Amino acid sequence: MDSADRWAGLRQRALALLQQNLVVVPPHRYTRPAPSVYEHQWLWDSCFHAIVYRWLDPAMAADELLSVVQHQVAAGPDEGMIPHMTYWRGGGEALWGIAERSVITQPPLIAVAARLLAERGGPPALLGQLYEPLCAYHAWFDRRRDPDGDDLVALIHPWESGWDAAPRWDAAMGLDRPSDEASRVARKELAATLRRYACDAAALAEAGFFHVEAIDYNAIRAADLEALAWLAAELGHAAESAHWSARAQAVRRAVGGRLLQPGPRDLAGPDETPITAPSAAPFVALFGGCADAEQADALHAALGGAPFWTPYPIATTPRDDPDFGPDRYWRGNVWLNVNWLIMRGLRRYGYAQTAAALAERSIALVEHAGFWEYYHPISGQGYGSFPHSWSAIVLDMALGG
Ligand code: GLC
């Protein structure tokens, strides 16, 4: 099969998958991550869906991003926050005390997705529609999630990272080698606790709850700020563009200076205790342009080693780690959205061959197993929900996005 046929087949399968998971709530449309388990809308999932849809249906890509900002918090201390979950038909009450949205966020990729869409001829009005909400969102991060003012925002719940049950969060959750069930229960309890503290990051940290400056999250934020600066420039707001560029630069510097050295880490709690549990998260620093040349070379070398570069790369927990759980949710599986972030970072730094190899193995994984939520890094077996929308991101990898 030549690559034109191969990509045409992949394109068709990606479109069928996304259409199967389409949800219409007039006048809005979004894509659920998967049937039954994931009926609602998730923030970073929708960004990945939009990035895929830019090749298939730019109007739908725009709708995906517009729907995700509809439940942005309009007033109060968290004004500007964009929720990690939108419950278009209600159902959030039990967990969050609010029917239609959660009270936490997720990796900020909306400006990145909007820029990628604009580059493929997305609807011209979209940038103007997203700009103010995204400015308010990033202002919220600076105001509410950086209590120590070091340009690194803190997560107050593992759900915000998108890496729900990763071993890197165990200690900060007060867990020691937990069972999947124990870890799940702890996340639910923390969700209830957040409300008692009105989601105040500083107060939660003081009280000893989860408070983590995460390397991948802050790198993604740097990329999103950079994209926001681009949006501002496109809309003719030169001074604001310079402001967002400066913010991006400050975050890049903070990640490079404090989370990539002395060695890659996340920082936990008000006293910034290093979390050294090894994971693939540091590779995402490349996505945000946060590494200097030496740091980038070290990351690139580590990525190519057997612990991470498994038969189906990339294991999110390295294979030689005692916590490696290849079939356990977020404890060592392959997640194709994470592969996409790393692939883009590799390209950004000029590691074109490794980026191409990662794209090829990711596409091969979907061809081997189908569109699963996550995969076994050695056998390639699919796990979790099926068919899962964000695994269509391999189409963007194939088409050179
Ligand atoms: C799981 C993942 C999270 C994702 C959600 C929907 O909770 O951990 O990152 O956004 O599913 O796919």
Side-chain angles (χ1 to χ4, degrees), residues 167 180 310 312 314-335 374-384:
D180 292 343
T310 40
Y312 290 102
I314 295 164
T316 43
T317 302
R319 192 176 172 171
D320 58 354
D321 188 77
D323 281 321
F324 175 60
D327 54 356
R328 292 180 60 197
Y329 184 62
W330 278 114
R331 297 186 77 85
N333 341 102
V334 176
W335 293 75
Y374 57 97
Y375 302 84
H376 194 293
I378 298 163
S379 69
Q381 187 182 331
Y383 289 101

Side-chain angles (χ1 to χ4, degrees), residues 95-96 104 156-159 164-166 169-194 196 204 208-210 331:
L95 254 185
W96 310 109
I104 56 172
I156 60 172
H157 196 293
W159 283 334
D164 301 10
W169 310 139
D170 288 351
M173 288 294 282
L175 301 167
D176 182 16
R177 302 258 155 94
S179 65
D180 292 343
E181 179 57 13
S183 159
R184 201 183 60 79
V185 168
R187 288 194 296 281
K188 284 212 151 183
E189 280 174 9
L190 179 57
T193 304
L194 297 181
R196 292 208 312 273
L204 283 157
F209 292 106
F210 190 90
R331 297 186 77 85

Side-chain angles (χ1 to χ4, degrees), residues 3-4 6-12 14 51-56 120 340 343-344 347 359 363 392-401:
S3 59
R6 193 178 172 205
W7 299 161
L10 189 61
R11 200 184 165 97
Q12 245 172 18
I51 291 166
V52 180
Y53 260 128
R54 74 195 177 114
W55 301 99
L56 302 168
R120 298 280 325 157
W340 181 88
M343 184 209 69
R344 299 273 313 179
R347 281 204 197 137
I363 298 159
I393 198 66
V394 294
L395 182 69
D396 192 70
M397 294 171 136
L399 300 182

Side-chain angles (χ1 to χ4, degrees), residues 33 38 42 44-45 106 162-164 329-330 335 373 388 390:
Y38 298 115
W42 271 260
W44 76 328
D45 295 66
Q106 246 188 351
W163 290 44
D164 301 10
Y329 184 62
W330 278 114
W335 293 75
E373 184 180 6
H388 200 86
W390 70 15

